[in-house]
Amino acid sequence: MRHCTIAILVGLGLWAGNAHAQQPPQVRPGSKAFTESGILGEMLTLLARIAGANATHRASLSGTQIAWGALVKGEIDCYVDYTGTIRKEMLPGRDLPTEDALRNALAEQGIRMSRPLGFANTYAIGMKKDKADRLGIRKVSDLKKHPELKFGFTAEFLDRADGWPGLRAHYQLPQTSARGMEHALAYESLETGSIDATDLYSTDAKIRTHDLQVLTDDLHYFPNYDAVLLYRADLEQRAPQVVTALRQLEGRISERDMVELNSRVELDKAPEVQAAADFLRKLGLLRPEDQMYVRIEGPAARLWRLTEQHLFLSAVSLLAAIVVALPLGILSAYRPAVGQVILGTAGVLQTIPSIALLVFMIPFLGIGPAPAIAALFLYSILPIVRNTHAGLTDIPLPLRESAEALGLPGFARLWRIELPMAARTILAGIKTAAVINVGTATLGGFIGAGGYGELIFTGLYKDDKALILQGAIPTALLALLVQGVFELAERWLVPLGLRLKPAA
Amino acid sequence: MLELTGVCKTYRGQAALQPTDLTVLAGKTTVLLGPSGCGKSTLLRVMIGLVRPDRGAVSFRDTPVTPENARELRQRMGYVVQDGGLFPHLTAEGNVTLMARWLGWEQTRIKARLSELTELTQFPADGLARYPVQLSGGQKQRVSLMRALLLDPDLILLDEPLGALDPLIRSDLQADLRRIFRALGKTVVLVTHDLGEAGYLGDRLVLLRAGRIVQQGTLTDLVQQPAEPFVTQFINAQRGPAL
Ligand SMILES: Nc1ncnc2c1ncn2[C@@H]1O[C@H](COP(=O)(O)OP(=O)(O)OP(=O)(O)O)[C@@H](O)[C@H]1O
Ligand SMILES: [Mg+2]
């Protein structure tokens, strides 16, 4: 018998070892919450899959700090960022003038940097192409010869030292006045001719639709924002073939390409995966037989996935909150002094803005569902504790006395008398927590935990109202559904005697 | 049966009960009587151990009542709180049989006891499945009484069992209570502020005023040999204006 067991264990071990050897490496490319980053994240994902990895894209990380933190902690393996951003936000206060200096500084943190991918996403000055052609303007310094040109800049560019004031001084431009205006309005004003030039990002999708000429920064005023691939040093050991595959993008994406890609997604509403796949195909990096790696999620599949994720976030956090908050509520009712502390603490937790709470969680729990669940859990505590406390303390004294006078011990009084009598109030607290929870779970979209929030946040950064609604409407419906379910549950859980109206 | 020596109770500096000695005689009905707020309910709570006296001792059948044995002793006492105190989430039957179920009685035994009790209190059998909100005031009191009698207690404590009832039902129940007490031969302590009720149901009257026993004795004793002018005053006030 024993030999047999050992044989099986050894067999299992061999099998497991074998399976391990054949298992494709796990690679998690990331991307930040804007279109360009999303498309590049899809490219990395596709290339990793083609190179034989099991790749999952962790999209929509909101902000450089979150993406960078995730990379350093190994929650993502690679993503694309810009040299200017790396210098200013990831390694601030260090003098890293050259690419090599930057590369060495990153290596200290276990991060590798590829050579530039080709395009830069920097501040730039743009004009209508036909006008620029007519006046023979190609470079920023060409503006000097045309003092009559009118400029309209975004408020930020107008004010920042490294914006318009610095640009004017650097190029010694003769134009003295510039108007401040919204981006969208600036494009319209270019069309009508009420301004001649504006500031823009060099890969802005609008460059294509408005047929703009981006003026070359010939005197190198704007800092470099070259796109580079960042990846973890351990990826090189784990999956060298994946690193090789990803680095095929070096020097292959021009600004024109990136503008084109951005506009396909933002203006033509193509899925990011589609844009990424088409581009890789054009580069010859995606062969016809690799098409199976291009997984475009249909709207129904996406809705289903997001629903599952949303329910998961809400349900796990709510269950955990019930398990913790119910005993805390009971304790508060029985020990008023402790109760004050518990209710006070739960109340303070509730006043922390949800986004802030979520961001506080990230250093401890990273990105993904864990911090979202933790934050939702903390939010759900108060309504449940408060209602449990209220339900128990509201029980009339004669009834509590009767239970005691019968000779029931404390636990039996709680279980058979007090909790059933407080059931309706407690359930109302849980219902409140659940409904708030379903709404707040949309913040999961903010830190890559999925759920309907993913659509809302994507919609926000793409300025796509339809997408926002596709996230907001199911959230509202789910909240209503949850409310309905709890109203049904009341019939089961609240004793009949408490629901009956007194006889007339 | 029950012996109180020097018990007193103060709430926030105000004496609800001054040092009091009282003996509850076995097999008799003792009635606690007095104006509202004089400490009748407090005295009853001290007897059953719901309120621990500041000083003094309570002994039940020669056993001193302590916080440790209070719960056990309570199962040998039946208590009906002022206003009934029926649990709204349980049916009449659920209320009456709660302790039996908790003690793990068999179904047949519970059923048998239940029918004894409904017969004794003349509670309609079809009312057993109803919830307290669906019962009349008189029916609720009968259920409370059945619940107090379930474990066949040695001592029954009732706090104004007929307080909130209209006069007709009240006199019906008074008659029923007297019949039940006589039939069972139990020791009973009953609180009321109605002199007539006290005389009708009680063997022995205890008149309280401001947390202090003013006089004990039969109704005749109180009428004919008042210990203080207050006794006469209380009796006269109860006779009502026009009568
Ligand atoms: N838990 C308590 N906390 C504070 N004071 C109390 C408490 N219970 C009773 N008292 C006070 O003690 C005094 C006696 O109250 P008790 O309930 O014994 O009066 P009672 O004779 O039963 O009156 P009633 O006929 O109105 O029921 C009252 O002044 C009351 O306010
Ligand atoms: Mg009272």
Side-chain angles (χ1 to χ4, degrees), chain A residues 78-289:
Chain A
C78 53
Y79 84 106
V80 173
D81 216 320
Y82 307 94
T83 50
T85 313
I86 300 172
R87 288 196 173 95
K88 263 177 65 184
E89 296 190 46
M90 302 179 192
L91 305 167
R94 295 181 59 174
D95 186 30
L96 305 163
T98 65
E99 211 181 289
D100 281 333
L102 198 57
R103 188 165 283 118
N104 290 336
L106 287 169
E108 291 164 20
Q109 312 229 28
I111 304 299
R112 299 255 184 280
M113 184 179 97
S114 73
R115 283 188 290 116
L117 302 185
F119 70 95
N121 184 351
T122 75
Y123 267 132
I125 302 299
M127 294 177 67
K128 288 290 289 180
K129 200 180 189 79
D130 48 359
K131 182 134 197 183
D133 285 348
R134 232 178 319 120
L135 299 176
I137 299 176
R138 282 282 168 276
K139 318 184 292 278
V140 177
S141 50
D142 291 341
L143 292 171
K144 251 165 129 167
K145 291 172 279 178
H146 301 278
E148 77 286 359
L149 292 178
K150 299 180 294 288
F151 296 159
F153 295 129
T154 53
E156 196 194 357
F157 187 75
L158 207 53
D159 288 344
R160 279 169 65 144
D162 58 348
W164 166 239
L167 183 75
R168 218 184 116 219
H170 194 80
Y171 280 93
Q172 300 189 321
L173 296 177
Q175 294 85 352
T176 46
S177 71
R179 291 161 59 190
M181 52 178 63
E182 280 290 307
H183 240 178
L185 190 62
Y187 293 121
E188 292 312 312
S189 306
L190 283 175
E191 292 293 343
T192 59
S194 59
I195 62 169
D196 301 302
T198 188
D199 63 301
L200 38 73
Y201 289 105
S202 54
T203 56
D204 197 316
K206 298 285 195 329
I207 292 172
R208 198 188 67 156
T209 40
H210 289 275
D211 201 19
L212 302 181
Q213 176 73 48
V214 178
L215 305 186
T216 315
D217 181 19
D218 52 329
L219 296 184
H220 305 291
Y221 170 69
F222 294 116
N224 246 343
Y225 274 77
D226 290 318
V228 287
L229 170 70
L230 297 177
Y231 58 93
R232 291 176 56 79
D234 67 355
L235 189 64
E236 215 149 45
Q237 271 102 59
R238 281 202 298 128
Q241 75 281 19
V242 170
V243 172
T244 312
L246 299 181
R247 294 188 65 160
Q248 294 176 103
L249 289 176
E250 286 176 340
R252 299 294 293 276
I253 313 173
S254 70
E255 249 142 63
R256 180 186 294 269
D257 291 332
M258 202 62 239
V259 171
E260 169 85 25
L261 284 165
N262 284 336
S263 77
R264 274 206 65 196
V265 173
E266 281 182 16
L267 307 170
D268 308 342
K269 308 289 180 209
E272 285 165 358
V273 202
Q274 188 67 65
D278 292 348
F279 182 73
L280 291 181
R281 198 172 295 117
K282 208 174 78 188
L283 293 184
L285 300 177
L286 187 119
R287 293 155 303 168
E289 63 266 35

Side-chain angles (χ1 to χ4, degrees), chain B residues 40-41 82 159-160:
Chain B
K40 305 181 294 291
S41 297
Q82 209 164 345
D159 196 347
E160 298 195 39

Side-chain angles (χ1 to χ4, degrees), chain A residues 28 58 61 66 69-71 73-76 313 316-317 320 356-378 447-449:
Chain A
R28 289 150 306 165
R58 302 199 80 160
L61 303 177
I66 290 177
L71 183 67
K73 275 200 257 151
E75 291 170 321
I76 60 174
L313 295 178
V316 172
S317 55
L357 190 59
L358 213 56
V359 173
F360 288 149
M361 293 289 161
I362 292 173
F364 306 107
L365 297 168
I367 53 168
I373 288 173
L376 292 175
F377 161 78
L378 291 178
I447 46 167

Side-chain angles (χ1 to χ4, degrees), chain A residues 397, chain B residues 11-12 14-16 34-43 45 82 159-160 191 193:
Chain A
L397 183 69
Chain B
Y11 287 114
R12 287 182 217 101
Q14 210 185 341
S36 189
C38 68
K40 305 181 294 291
S41 297
T42 305
L43 192 56
R45 288 195 185 103
Q82 209 164 345
D159 196 347
E160 298 195 39
V191 170
H193 41 241

Side-chain angles (χ1 to χ4, degrees), chain A residues 70 301 324 428 503:
Chain A
V324 171

Side-chain angles (χ1 to χ4, degrees), chain B residues 52-65:
Chain B
R52 199 163 148 64
D54 298 337
R55 253 175 296 121
V58 182
S59 73
F60 177 65
R61 305 195 128 200
D62 302 326
T63 316
V65 178

